[in-house]
Amino acid sequence: MRVLWVFAHPEPRSLTAQLRTVGIAALREAGHEVIESDLYAMNWNPVVTASDFAHDGVERLDVAHESESALRAGRLAADIRAEHEKLAWADTVVLHFPLWWYGMPAIMKGWLDRVMVQGYAYGVRDPESGRTRRYGDGGLAGKRATAVVSVGAHAGLGPRGIHGDLTEVLFPLLHGTFFYTGMDVVEPVIIPGTNRVSDERFATITADLRTRLLALPTTAPIPYRHQDSGDYDADWNLRPPHLPGRSGLGIHRHDDESPWAAQVR
């Protein structure tokens, strides 16, 4: 594999940073290539501005349109172009972050906002049909993606837990970003109870992380329904013959073993 590891944590001595070191070392020891975007160390700018596109400010800034125009004209900011070069090189993308307020740190969200521009990651059209390629196809089709997520809570997670089902919490990233842009999505590595970790548990966590990472090339992706599978109608609603009477995030998987199966029946 050629892995782009995008990392977001401000403290290099944190448990999350230690897991990053272990994970990257395991991949390299197994013969895989890894390059990293350590966003805090890079002092990454997470804020989309007109300067990203060398926009003159005379006309109203339409971010989607202007980002695609800048992409085509080679006017994107240098730091965005550098991340595109990394993505072009990689066949696998790992986003690694702590869960803060049910989401990723703002700096990583800003990486997605600035890097995943229209015409590159989304808004890509099929040249023959003119159809927009998304949800199973798109600018990043052919790549794999997963997330490694550290979570402070050690209990109350899951379908009936007070903190909720973290696979659902991560649905916007897994389905709405990775799968939307065409990538095959591997189930995330979720590491709970990271506020207090004994040496014994650290050994268990790192062993599991190594196993999951080394299995990335052969692990079956989450079976999300492709946009063009015929499962959706013209208004992009799931057709009635599929899971009649059900709703919720789990219906967008076409397997019967969805983590949400018990909730949507």
Side-chain angles (χ1 to χ4, degrees):
M1 291 185 293
R2 296 191 304 276
V3 181
L4 170 58
W5 191 290
V6 185
F7 179 73
H9 198 290
E11 175 51 70
R13 296 165 295 184
S14 65
L15 175 66
T16 302
Q18 292 178 59
L19 295 175
R20 175 266 310 269
T21 299
V22 168
I24 290 176
L27 289 168
R28 287 175 173 160
E29 288 166 6
H32 302 293
E33 300 175 78
V34 184
I35 56 176
E36 186 180 3
S37 289
D38 183 340
L39 300 181
Y40 281 97
M42 294 162 59
N43 196 28
W44 174 261
N45 170 25
V47 181
V48 174
T49 65
S51 62
D52 286 352
F53 322 120
H55 181 66
D56 59 16
V58 175
E59 300 293 332
R60 180 182 68 89
L61 176 63
D62 180 330
V63 170
H65 172 76
E66 193 64 28
S67 65
E68 183 168 6
S69 296
L71 172 71
R72 303 301 178 209
R75 290 188 283 106
L76 283 175
D79 57 348
I80 298 175
R81 296 199 308 270
E83 297 306 295
H84 284 180
E85 290 176 5
K86 296 175 186 177
L87 281 166
W89 171 86
D91 56 41
T92 304
V93 179
V94 176
L95 264 56
H96 185 189
F97 57 92
L99 192 71
W100 290 353
W101 293 112
Y102 286 87
M104 62 186 68
I107 198 169
M108 181 167 281
K109 177 60 166 59
W111 185 85
L112 293 172
D113 289 347
R114 295 187 66 223
V115 172
M116 302 298 189
V117 298
Q118 180 168 290
Y120 176 77
Y122 77 99
V124 178
R125 294 186 179 275
D126 182 274
E128 295 183 2
S129 67
R131 191 175 181 82
T132 302
R133 298 167 54 198
R134 59 191 170 198
Y135 290 120
D137 192 8
L140 300 180
K143 301 182 187 298
R144 302 201 129 208
T146 194
V148 178
V149 185
S150 303
V151 181
H154 68 279
L157 304 169
R160 295 176 61 83
I162 193 169
H163 299 305
D165 186 327
L166 293 189
T167 308
E168 285 194 340
V169 170
L170 293 171
F171 187 84
L173 171 63
L174 304 177
H175 186 267
T177 303
F178 289 160
F179 192 63
Y180 187 92
T181 59
M183 293 190 277
D184 289 332
V185 189
V186 177
E187 293 281 3
V189 182
I190 298 174
I191 306 164
T194 54
N195 287 336
R196 298 178 183 84
V197 175
S198 65
D199 290 343
E200 180 180 5
R201 183 154 181 266
F202 181 76
T204 300
I205 290 171
T206 53
D208 179 64
L209 178 62
R210 289 188 189 97
T211 299
R212 295 282 299 277
L213 291 173
L214 296 181
L216 276 176
T218 56
T219 300
I222 298 173
Y224 290 131
R225 299 176 189 273
H226 284 230
Q227 169 185 273
D228 298 326
S229 63
D231 292 351
Y232 297 96
D233 63 22
D235 293 320
W236 306 117
N237 294 305
L238 191 62
R239 294 182 185 277
H242 300 291
L243 304 178
R246 303 187 197 177
S247 61
L249 304 181
I251 67 172
H252 301 294
R253 296 173 61 136
H254 60 70
D255 62 323
D256 292 330
E257 301 301 321
S258 164
W260 307 294
Q263 302 174 63
V264 298
R265 284 175 181 164

